[in-house]
Amino acid sequence: MMSELRKDLVSGRWVIIATERSKRPDDFLPSGGTARAAEPVGFCPFCEGNETKTPPEVFALRAAGTAADSPGWKVRVVPNKFPALNRGTPPLKPTGGVFQWMEGTGVHEVVIENPNHALELSDLPVAHIRDVFQVFQQRITSIEEELHYQYVQLFKNKGKEAGASLSHPHSQIIATPIVPKRIKEKIYGADRLFRNFKECAFCRILQEEEAAGARQIARNRHFSVIAPYASRFPFEMAIYPLRHSPFFKDVREDELLTLAETMKAVLTRLKETVGDPPYNMVLHHAPNPSLSLEGWPEIEKNFHWHLEIFPILTKVAGFEWGTGFYINPVPPETAAKFLRQP
Amino acid sequence: MKKKILLVEDEKALCLLYEEELSREGYAVTAVIDAETALAELGKTAFDLIVTDIRMPGMNGIELITRIMGLRKDIPIIINSAYQSYKEDFMTWAADAYVVKSASLDELKAKIKQLMGE
């Protein structure tokens, strides 16, 4: 069978699905076939007891009676100690002619997901994972209310190959004064498709995936997990809410608990399937609604928040950088089959 | 009594310059050119502050500050690197300040004063 070129409906990005040299999950297992253990714990600035090594916390879920920046917390959020972007009022527009620039304003926060260095997100009880998601919502809302930042990006790097410098489980939030290109591509794509389909393109994709079934990994009363049709990476997954909403911060408490169950289940399956790989997780949601969304008047109807998880099992190299194409040696149908199996 | 600074910098010329400038500011400076010697010095003297480079042969500055945390968590540490990019490594948070190297030592001196409570 020849390889296949597939187009991502919303972004318009093309992917080469290399079916003729398709790999199996075993091909990605670390040598020895066992999952990598957490690195030995030396000093870690995120561990409980080392609170003085971080900037003062901006938010924490902590035991009653415990003081800020002391032990006793469950989830803790601190600003980046040495940030690339600093809080402040951004200019209305970039300046310069051909070479545009603006001051590096923004927010960079770290969400320390639990006090224990060795406990991964998927190891935590569902209620704790729900708490982590609630903290994400709180931080997104709070940063958006500062009215300076157009987009709040939540992401997680797990493992060195995914960009994590520290193995203590954490996520990061970076808010920027402009809407990033990749988000704009999705917004414009969703807008164009909305006019075609007369409905949200993401909702349409979910219906189609449900009917086809081949790429569906999990589904429950609130969420659907799929291996996207034009997956860029082996075992890539996307979690979509079944209830249409462009805003992650609008997810209700009962839905958050289901999201936590879903997340725990898919991360556990990923670990069981390909041996605890490094991964990136990103949230894509609508830009800051507290600022004007007049550039995208129908965004509430046509955008649909979602989480993307991509295990780092292949290298992004010259071809990908040069073309924006990705080569994926595992068809998403194969990935879904393995990730679905109990 | 003079406050004691341990300076870890592998470039000998820079090491001499820093030693001279910081001594002129009234500090007792012990300058070493690698992390291993720095750890040995830490065992002998109760320093008030450490200034360390990151990119060094042998043990790098990030490994050094991690090791120092195992000995003494209360000693103020300033990372003094020519590279901004190490800021992305959260292990640098073990340090109290990150000063990017420049022709002027003003920022470094100001940070030292601040961390010494002067």
Side-chain angles (χ1 to χ4, degrees):
Chain A
M1 192 179 167
M2 282 180 70
S3 62
E4 222 176 273
L5 285 172
R6 291 188 183 183
K7 187 182 180 183
D8 180 77
L9 181 68
V10 179
S11 68
R13 181 185 54 236
W14 285 88
V15 168
I16 300 171
I17 306 288
T19 49
E20 83 280 17
R21 49 194 176 112
S22 171
K23 293 192 172 189
R24 293 178 52 80
D26 297 0
D27 295 329
F28 298 104
L29 281 172
S31 53
T34 52
R36 273 163 286 187
E39 70 190 39
V41 183
F43 174 79
C44 168
F46 294 173
C47 280
E48 190 171 36
N50 293 336
E51 289 80 7
T52 56
K53 286 293 174 187
T54 70
E57 64 199 34
V58 290
F59 187 80
L61 295 178
R62 48 172 56 256
T66 58
D69 302 314
S70 72
W73 50 275
K74 195 176 183 187
V75 184
R76 187 164 182 260
V77 187
V78 294
N80 191 321
K81 194 168 186 174
F82 306 123
L85 299 172
N86 292 295
R87 271 193 157 85
T89 312
L92 291 173
K93 282 182 176 174
T95 51
V98 173
F99 303 110
Q100 298 209 331
W101 72 279
M102 63 202 298
E103 272 176 45
T105 53
V107 175
H108 190 172
E109 293 181 349
V110 179
V111 180
I112 310 170
E113 294 160 4
N114 81 85
N116 186 331
H117 192 94
L119 285 184
E120 289 296 338
L121 188 62
S122 59
D123 299 328
L124 300 172
V126 167
H128 192 134
I129 300 175
R130 184 225 24 224
D131 291 344
V132 173
F133 286 135
Q134 265 174 347
V135 171
F136 292 160
Q137 286 185 314
Q138 195 281 342
R139 293 317 302 152
I140 289 168
T141 305
S142 171
I143 293 167
E144 286 182 343
E145 282 170 358
E146 288 181 35
L147 303 181
H148 291 325
Y149 312 109
Q150 296 271 356
Y151 194 73
V152 183
Q153 179 63 58
L154 166 76
F155 62 99
K156 177 174 173 69
N157 303 333
K158 184 205 170 257
K160 246 183 200 145
E161 299 84 345
S165 57
L166 205 58
S167 62
H168 192 127
H170 65 281
S171 302
Q172 298 181 60
I173 293 171
I174 296 186
T176 52
I178 49 173
V179 179
K181 181 176 178 290
R182 211 157 265 185
I183 308 305
K184 274 188 182 160
E185 277 172 5
K186 276 201 174 172
I187 293 171
Y188 291 138
D191 189 51
R192 177 177 42 83
L193 291 162
F194 184 80
R195 278 181 268 122
N196 256 349
F197 295 151
K198 312 288 182 223
E199 66 174 325
C200 161
F202 300 96
C203 289
R204 177 67 176 271
I205 290 170
L206 287 177
Q207 291 161 25
E208 300 273 347
E209 290 292 6
E210 177 117 353
R215 287 176 294 274
Q216 196 159 49
I217 297 165
R219 188 190 189 280
N220 50 43
R221 61 192 185 284
H222 294 310
F223 294 92
S224 179
V225 186
I226 58 165
Y229 171 72
S231 290
R232 292 154 287 179
F233 306 102
F235 302 95
E236 179 177 335
M237 295 185 271
I239 304 179
Y240 286 95
L242 298 179
R243 179 171 70 85
H244 174 86
S245 169
F247 304 115
F248 173 74
K249 65 182 181 182
D250 286 351
V251 179
R252 299 184 306 242
E253 205 171 326
D254 60 321
E255 292 171 324
L256 272 191
L257 190 65
T258 315
L259 179 60
E261 285 166 9
T262 310
M263 181 62 74
K264 186 172 173 80
V266 296
L267 291 179
T268 303
R269 274 305 295 149
L270 182 68
K271 208 185 251 193
E272 290 164 355
T273 308
V274 277
D276 199 13
Y279 66 80
N280 295 109
M281 179 169 75
V282 300
L283 168 70
H284 280 171
H285 59 152
N288 186 353
S290 303
L291 295 173
S292 168
L293 288 177
E294 63 186 23
W296 303 295
E298 300 205 280
I299 199 157
E300 296 212 16
K301 287 188 219 159
N302 65 30
F303 203 74
H304 195 122
W305 77 264
H306 54 278
L307 284 161
E308 294 180 356
I309 300 169
F310 14 96
I312 308 299
L313 297 164
T314 50
K315 281 206 160 55
V316 172
F319 178 69
E320 286 85 351
W321 291 122
T323 61
F325 270 61
Y326 287 81
I327 303 177
N328 181 357
V330 180
E333 295 76 15
T334 308
K337 192 179 95 187
F338 284 107
L339 290 167
R340 254 195 319 262
Q341 280 171 358
Chain B
M1 202 167 117
K2 285 183 177 179
K3 288 188 174 165
K4 296 186 270 300
I5 293 177
L6 175 62
L7 172 73
V8 194
E9 169 58 62
D10 66 312
E11 281 186 45
K12 283 181 185 159
L14 265 185
C15 204
L16 283 172
L17 169 74
Y18 282 29
E19 190 177 5
E20 196 180 305
E21 287 270 337
L22 296 179
S23 300
R24 202 175 296 155
E25 294 290 318
Y27 302 113
V29 181
T30 301
V32 299
I33 58 165
D34 60 64
E36 289 79 5
T37 315
L39 285 171
E41 287 296 333
L42 271 164
K44 292 187 247 168
T45 310
F47 290 100
D48 298 293
L49 184 141
I50 298 168
V51 177
T52 181
D53 192 4
I54 291 184
R55 201 182 269 200
M56 298 184 287
M59 189 190 302
N60 70 29
I62 293 176
E63 288 172 67
L64 172 64
I65 57 178
T66 310
R67 297 276 284 272
I68 293 169
M69 287 299 107
L71 304 169
R72 273 185 69 182
K73 276 190 201 169
D74 60 329
I75 186 162
I77 300 174
I78 299 175
I79 288 175
N80 187 230
S81 168
Y83 303 92
Q84 287 269 13
S85 56
Y86 289 112
K87 286 183 178 177
E88 286 167 27
D89 187 334
F90 289 128
M91 274 312 299
T92 59
W93 287 25
D96 299 87
Y98 192 117
V99 177
V100 177
K101 283 179 185 171
S102 80
S104 157
L105 296 190
D106 290 352
E107 190 188 349
L108 180 64
K109 288 178 191 170
K111 268 292 171 223
I112 291 172
K113 282 192 168 48
Q114 183 197 331
L115 291 171
M116 294 279 206
E118 294 166 346

